Amino acid sequence: MAEAHQAVAFQFTITPEGIDLRLSYQALSQIYLSGLRSWKKRISRMRNRVIKGVYPASPSSWLFVVIAILATMYMRSDPSMGLIAKIQEHLPVSLSLSVQGQTMLSVLVFSTLLWLSLILTLRFCLKLLLSYHRWMFEQHGHISTTTKVWVTLVRLLSGRKPLLYSYQTSLPCLPVPPIKDTLERYLESVRPLLSGPGFQRMTVLAAQFENSLGNRLQRYLKLKALWATNYVSDWWEEYIYLRGRGPIMVNSNYYGMDFLYVTPTPIQAARAGNTITALLLYRRKVNSEQLTPVSPATSTVIPLCAAQCERMFNTTRTPGEETDVLQHWQDSEFVTVYHRGRYFRLWVYKAGRLLSPREIEYQIQRILDDPSPPGPGEDRLGALTAGDRVPWCAVRKQYFSSGVNKRSLDCIERAAFFVTLDDEEQGMMGEDPVGNLDRYAKSLLHGKCYDRWFDKSFSVVVYKNGKNGLNAEHSWADAPTVAHLWEFTLATDAFQLGYTEDGHCKGEVERSLPPPQRLTWDIPVEEQVSISLSVAQALADDVDCHVFPFRDFGKGRIKKLKISPDAFIQLALQLAYYRDRKTFCLTYEASMTRLFREGRTETVRSCSNEGCAFVKAVESGETAYREEHCRRLFRLAAEKHQNLYRLAMTGSGIDRHLFCLYVVSKYLGVESPFLTEVLSEPWRLSTSQTPVQQLELFDMKNHPDFISLGGGFGPVADDGYGVSYIIVGEDMINYHVSCKHSFSETDSHRFGAQISRALLDLLSVLTPAKTENSQAQDKKQQ
C-alpha cells in the first residue's frame, strides 16, 4: 500500500472546529515536476513542428526576408511591384493604424507570403533532386559530372542540421511502374523456374492480363498514387500483416541477438537496468527528433523515410475479428516487466526525471526478489498473443474490456515496451556452443510461448546470465528500423553507460522509490489460454533454427575481388540451395523503398537466369572450377543481381506492383487467373540482410570482441528456408537459418553446412590458380 499513500497529495478531515486541511508538499512537488516535464515536451514538439514545417528553410530566415524587404523599401525601391500597396489598401485595420503602421504591417504580410513561397519552391526543388536515382546505377569510383552537381545541390538545399522528420515532405512519392515493364521483368524472373510449356502458358496469361484487365487496374492504381502518399504501404500493412488470422509468433515476429563473444555483465538486474535506460535514451532522441536522418549505405547525403520511427515505442497490436489494429500512445512513463509468471508495472520516471541505470537495476532486483506466486491463470496469459488472432479477439472483448483485467491489460499495452526477465541462461557458452546458439535463437523467436507479449512493438528479453535480445512485431516497421534501435542500445549499454568493477550499473540510488506495482488479474479463461498455448507450442516445436558465424573470410576479401558482398552471398545461397534440393526456387530477398515517402520493402527476385547459369556451370564438374568461363558467368550474375536490387530500391520492383493490382481486382470484384497464380507462388528461400548502420558506435579495432550476432526470422514456406545474415567487420558473416521439422527434406544444419561450402567454393572460383612460376616466386620470397 506504500504507493497508494504516496499518491495522495492532500488529506482533509471535518471536525467540530472546522475543516482540518493537511497538504503533502512532497507529493505536490512531484506533481509539479511531472507536469513541468510534460509541458517541456509539448513545447519541444511545437518547436520541432515549426522547424519541420519551414524546412529546408529555417525560422530565422523569415526575419532575414523581412529586413531585406524593409531595407529596399527604405531605399525607395518596391520589390513587390505594387503588391505591398495593394495589401495596404485591403487591410481590415487600416482605419485604426497610422500610415507608417499600415506600411509596416503590409510589408510583414508580403514578406511572410514571399517567405512561404520560397519555402514551397525550395521544397519542390529538393523533391525533384531526391527523385534522381541514376547515382545508384553508376559504377563505384566512376561518378558522372551530373551526379557530382546533383550531390552539391542536395547538400546546399538540405541545410546544416535536419531533424529526424525534416525530409518527410520533401521525399518523392513511390512511382507506379508501367505495367508492361513489370510483366516483362516478372516473366524474366520465372524463366529459370518453369519448363518450356509452363513458361509459355505463363507468357500467354501475362499477355491476356495486360491486354484486358491489367490496364483497367493500372488506372485505378495511378489514381491512388496521385491521392495517397504511398500507393503500397497502407495496403501492405493491412493485408500482409494486420489481416493475418494465424499466430504472429514465428510467422511474423522476428528477433535480434546480443553480442556474440561478450556479455558486459553477468548480473541480470544490472544488464536490464542499462538496456532499459539505453532504449529510453533512444526514445528521447526520437521524440526530440535529434536522431540524424538515416541514409543508404552507399550515400551520406540521401535521406531515408523515417515514418516507421513514429510507432516504435508505446505501441501495441490489438486483435480484431477480421483485422488487427495498431494502437500508439503519445507517451508512457513506465515499462511492463514479466518474471516467473507475474506482471509488474515499473515506473521509469520520477517527477519528470528519468531514473538512473542504478535505480532501474534496484527496481528490477526488487522484482527478481519478489517471492509472491503468480495468480490463477496469470503465468501463461501471454499465450493468448501467441495463438490464433480470432480467439484472442473474442476473449479480449469478453473478459478484458472492463474492470481489473482492463486496467492491467492497459498497463501492458500502453507501456513504452515489454521486458521479460527470463530465468534461463543463453548465449554461445559451455561445451556445446553451436547447439547453445541455436537454442538462444529459438528462445528469442518464441520463448516458452507465454513469457513474451508478442503484440507489443518489441519485447526485450534479459536472461539470468546477463545475455539479452529482443523480439519485434513486424506490422509497424521493418527490420532495419529495429536494427538501428538495437545497435544504439548495445553500443550505449557497453560503451557509454558501462558498469562498475563488480558488474553493477553506475549511478546513485534513491531508496525511497516506490516498489514496482504488481498487476492483478481475474482470469476465467484458462481453457482458451490452454488452447492458444497448444497452437503456439506446436508451431514453436516445429521450428528448426541454426545460427552460425562464418569466420573464413568476410566482406574485406570479397571487396578485393571488386564484387558486391551482397551479390556474392546471394549467389552462394543459390548454389547452396541447388546442392541441397537439386533444383532452383523462387527466392525472396528483402530490399527497401525508403528513398520514397512512407516506403517499406520490395522484393528482389534473386534467382535469375544468369545466376542459374553460373550455378550449373560450377556443378558441371570439378574441371570447370578455375576456368575463365565460370568467372565470367559469375560476373554477369553478380551484375544482374545488383541491377535487380537497384531497380527494387528505386521503385521499379515487381512484387509490390502486382500485389496492389491484385488488391484493386478484389475491390472491383473481378478475378484474374494471372494475378491469382502469381500471388500464390511460395517463397521457398526467403532471405534478408541485417544492415550495420552505425559503424561509428562500434570500435572494432580497440574492441574486436564486441561483434553483433544480428537477428533472424522463421521460415516463410512450410517446405522452405528462412535465411538472415549480417556482414560484421571485414572478416565475418553471421547466418541465421530456419526451417520446419515437419518437412522431411529441409534441415537447417545441413543447409548451413551447404552455405559454408558454397562460400568457400565461390571464393575458389573467383581466385585464379597460381602458376608454377608464381608459386616458385612465393617460396623464394618466404
Side-chain angles (χ1 to χ4, degrees):
M1 295 295 292
E3 65 273 11
H5 287 299
Q6 292 189 10
V8 178
F10 67 91
Q11 300 176 8
F12 70 92
T13 56
I14 300 175
T15 65
E17 290 77 19
I19 296 176
D20 180 18
L21 183 66
R22 290 173 290 173
L23 295 175
S24 171
Y25 292 103
Q26 182 181 4
L28 289 174
S29 174
Q30 301 294 323
I31 293 171
Y32 167 75
L33 292 173
S34 182
L36 186 64
R37 171 180 176 267
S38 177
W39 276 105
K40 283 182 177 179
K41 291 182 68 175
R42 290 180 187 178
I43 293 171
S44 176
R45 289 193 184 104
M46 291 175 61
R47 179 182 64 85
N48 289 340
R49 287 194 189 105
V50 172
I51 294 173
K52 288 183 298 184
V54 303
Y55 187 84
S58 63
S60 59
S61 62
W62 174 82
L63 186 61
F64 174 80
V65 173
V66 172
I67 293 173
I69 298 297
L70 286 172
T72 55
M73 294 290 289
Y74 180 77
M75 296 171 64
R76 300 188 180 279
S77 175
D78 185 4
S80 70
M81 295 181 291
L83 285 176
I84 292 177
K86 289 287 185 182
I87 293 172
Q88 187 172 345
E89 290 177 9
H90 294 83
L91 283 175
V93 292
S94 58
L95 296 177
S96 61
L97 291 175
S98 64
V99 175
Q100 187 176 3
Q102 293 176 30
T103 303
M104 180 66 72
L105 183 58
S106 301
V107 168
L108 288 176
V109 171
F110 173 77
S111 300
T112 302
L113 292 174
L114 178 62
W115 179 63
L116 292 174
S117 301
L118 290 172
I119 289 172
L120 292 175
T121 303
L122 289 173
R123 191 174 291 170
F124 177 74
C125 292
L126 184 56
K127 181 175 285 190
L128 286 178
L129 288 170
L130 294 178
S131 300
Y132 172 84
H133 297 129
R134 196 181 303 168
W135 60 274
M136 289 195 66
F137 296 87
E138 294 178 350
Q139 290 185 357
H140 185 70
H142 296 82
I143 303 175
S144 66
T145 304
T146 303
T147 299
K148 290 178 181 177
V149 172
W150 167 77
V151 168
T152 303
L153 291 174
V154 171
R155 283 176 174 164
L156 286 173
L157 287 179
S158 294
R160 292 184 178 180
K161 293 182 179 179
L163 298 176
L164 177 61
Y165 303 120
S166 291
Y167 287 103
Q168 291 303 102
T169 54
S170 299
L171 289 172
C173 294
L174 183 68
V176 181
I179 193 167
K180 182 179 180 63
D181 293 351
T182 297
L183 294 177
E184 287 178 355
R185 282 194 284 268
Y186 168 77
L187 290 173
E188 184 183 7
S189 71
V190 298
R191 183 67 187 91
L193 307 175
L194 299 175
S195 62
F199 180 74
Q200 185 62 36
R201 185 182 64 85
M202 188 56 71
T203 303
V204 172
L205 283 176
Q208 290 173 348
F209 173 74
E210 181 184 358
N211 296 328
S212 57
L213 182 60
N215 288 320
R216 180 186 172 196
L217 302 180
Q218 181 81 345
R219 285 193 293 271
Y220 280 98
L221 212 53
K222 286 184 176 180
L223 182 63
K224 186 192 177 187
L226 289 174
W227 177 253
T229 51
N230 190 295
Y231 80 93
V232 175
S233 293
D234 58 338
W235 285 350
W236 186 256
E237 180 179 296
E238 174 77 11
Y239 294 107
I240 298 301
Y241 295 119
L242 297 179
R243 281 188 179 259
R245 301 295 80 201
I248 59 175
M249 183 199 77
V250 175
N251 292 327
S252 178
N253 287 27
Y254 53 95
Y255 64 88
M257 283 184 161
D258 196 4
F259 296 116
L260 175 60
Y261 299 118
V262 175
T263 305
T265 178
I267 301 174
Q268 185 177 18
R271 190 73 196 280
N274 266 11
T275 300
I276 293 171
T277 302
L279 288 166
L280 293 171
L281 290 176
Y282 190 91
R283 184 178 71 164
R284 180 184 292 173
K285 283 180 172 288
V286 171
N287 289 343
S288 62
E289 301 186 33
Q290 296 305 308
L291 279 179
T292 303
V294 180
S295 299
T298 53
S299 173
T300 57
V301 298
I302 310 303
L304 298 179
C305 178
Q308 295 180 31
C309 296
E310 295 173 353
R311 299 181 294 185
M312 186 175 291
F313 297 92
N314 331 316
T315 299
T316 194
R317 172 175 174 167
T318 58
E321 292 181 3
E322 294 184 358
T323 180
D324 291 354
V325 177
L326 281 172
Q327 288 190 291
H328 172 73
W329 290 268
Q330 194 68 35
D331 195 20
S332 177
E333 296 193 351
F334 59 88
V335 298
T336 304
V337 181
Y338 175 93
H339 177 244
R340 291 185 180 175
R342 294 95 36 90
Y343 292 86
F344 296 84
R345 174 161 60 178
L346 171 60
W347 294 95
V348 290
Y349 284 88
K350 182 180 181 184
R353 172 184 68 85
L354 176 63
L355 299 185
S356 70
R358 186 70 183 88
E359 287 174 325
I360 296 178
E361 177 191 350
Y362 174 72
Q363 296 290 72
I364 292 291
Q365 192 61 52
R366 281 176 152 182
I367 294 174
L368 293 171
D369 294 340
D370 188 327
S372 61
E378 181 185 12
D379 57 339
R380 300 187 175 186
L381 182 64
L384 291 171
T385 68
D388 292 323
R389 305 303 290 173
V390 174
W392 171 211
C393 171
V395 167
R396 192 176 189 274
K397 284 183 178 179
Q398 186 173 359
Y399 299 106
F400 294 86
S401 57
S402 63
V404 64
N405 286 344
K406 184 181 188 304
R407 290 193 293 272
S408 295
L409 183 61
D410 281 348
C411 286
I412 295 176
E413 295 185 337
R414 293 172 182 261
F417 49 87
F418 191 82
V419 180
T420 294
L421 301 175
D422 205 302
D423 53 4
E424 296 180 349
E425 295 186 358
Q426 297 292 350
M428 189 177 71
M429 56 190 182
E431 298 179 356
D432 183 20
V434 175
N436 286 331
L437 275 182
D438 298 345
R439 284 184 282 274
Y440 181 21
K442 278 182 67 67
S443 176
L444 288 174
L445 184 60
H446 54 68
K448 298 173 183 174
C449 302
Y450 56 80
D451 54 352
R452 320 277 187 255
W453 200 266
F454 295 100
D455 286 355
K456 285 298 288 180
S457 55
F458 66 90
S459 300
V460 178
V461 183
V462 184
Y463 293 99
K464 189 176 181 179
N465 60 340
K467 214 69 181 171
N468 71 5
L470 89 166
N471 179 288
E473 201 276 318
H474 208 324
S475 63
W476 65 274
D478 301 307
T481 301
V482 177
H484 194 276
L485 162 72
W486 196 237
E487 285 175 8
F488 177 91
T489 302
L490 292 178
T492 302
D493 169 23
F495 305 126
Q496 301 299 323
L497 299 175
Y499 299 89
T500 61
E501 291 184 359
D502 55 355
H504 290 281
C505 295
K506 297 177 180 178
E508 301 299 324
V509 178
E510 185 180 324
R511 300 286 175 178
S512 63
L513 288 172
Q517 295 171 297
R518 174 80 182 272
L519 302 185
T520 55
W521 309 87
D522 178 16
I523 306 173
V525 291
E526 293 188 48
E527 182 180 354
Q528 182 55 54
V529 170
S530 298
I531 293 172
S532 295
L533 180 58
S534 63
V535 171
Q537 194 66 60
L539 181 60
D541 292 343
D542 196 22
V543 176
D544 178 20
C545 287
H546 179 42
V547 180
F548 66 98
F550 179 81
R551 301 184 181 91
D552 291 77
F553 61 88
K555 70 175 182 181
R557 187 77 177 273
I558 298 171
K559 283 187 173 181
K560 286 181 180 179
L561 300 171
K562 297 182 179 180
I563 296 168
S564 160
D566 186 68
F568 185 95
I569 292 171
Q570 285 292 328
L571 286 168
L573 290 174
Q574 290 298 314
L575 179 59
Y577 188 88
Y578 186 80
R579 287 171 170 173
D580 187 75
R581 300 292 303 279
K582 311 304 180 187
T583 186
F584 296 105
C585 73
L586 196 61
T587 305
Y588 183 111
E589 181 187 4
S591 172
M592 66 174 182
T593 55
R594 289 171 63 199
L595 292 170
F596 304 94
R597 190 172 179 181
E598 295 183 13
R600 292 202 57 164
T601 60
E602 179 57 274
T603 305
V604 180
R605 295 181 165 231
S606 300
C607 183
S608 64
N609 290 306
E610 293 80 356
C612 293
F614 166 73
V615 169
K616 289 178 179 178
V618 170
E619 289 297 276
S620 62
E622 294 292 329
T623 56
Y625 262 61
R626 298 194 180 275
E627 292 181 358
E628 186 62 30
H629 177 63
C630 267
R631 288 192 286 273
R632 184 179 64 82
L633 289 176
F634 180 87
R635 299 281 178 183
L636 290 173
E639 185 178 340
K640 178 66 175 181
H641 178 269
Q642 284 184 276
N643 190 57
L644 290 173
Y645 204 97
R646 291 162 180 158
L647 288 170
M649 285 189 65
T650 53
S652 296
I654 300 169
D655 290 276
R656 299 302 176 270
H657 186 199
L658 294 176
F659 162 76
C660 288
L661 290 172
Y662 180 77
V663 174
V664 174
S665 74
K666 289 299 180 182
Y667 277 126
L668 295 178
V670 294
E671 291 295 328
S672 168
F674 171 74
L675 289 176
T676 301
E677 186 160 342
V678 170
L679 271 294
S680 63
E681 293 170 346
W683 301 97
R684 292 191 173 89
L685 182 57
S686 181
T687 72
S688 177
Q689 179 183 175
T690 303
V692 180
Q693 303 168 76
Q694 304 169 89
L695 293 171
E696 70 279 2
L697 296 180
F698 300 92
D699 186 356
M700 300 303 294
K701 290 185 178 180
N702 296 323
H703 303 283
D705 290 339
F706 286 83
I707 293 173
S708 173
L709 264 170
F713 54 90
V716 173
D718 291 338
D719 57 348
Y721 291 107
V723 181
S724 176
Y725 53 94
I726 178 172
I727 303 172
V728 184
E730 298 294 311
D731 304 308
M732 181 182 290
I733 308 169
N734 287 329
Y735 282 91
H736 302 251
V737 182
S738 65
C739 63
K740 292 192 174 181
H741 291 294
S742 56
F743 187 71
S744 59
E745 295 182 29
T746 56
D747 183 282
S748 65
H749 290 76
R750 186 186 72 217
F751 192 59
Q754 292 285 19
I755 292 173
S756 297
R757 180 187 162 204
L759 289 167
L760 293 171
D761 287 347
L762 257 62
L763 186 66
S764 176
V765 168
L766 298 174
T767 305
K770 291 186 176 182
T771 63
E772 294 182 3
N773 291 334
S774 63
Q775 290 177 353
Q777 288 177 0
D778 289 345
K779 290 181 179 179
K780 189 175 181 180
Q781 290 174 357
Q782 292 174 0

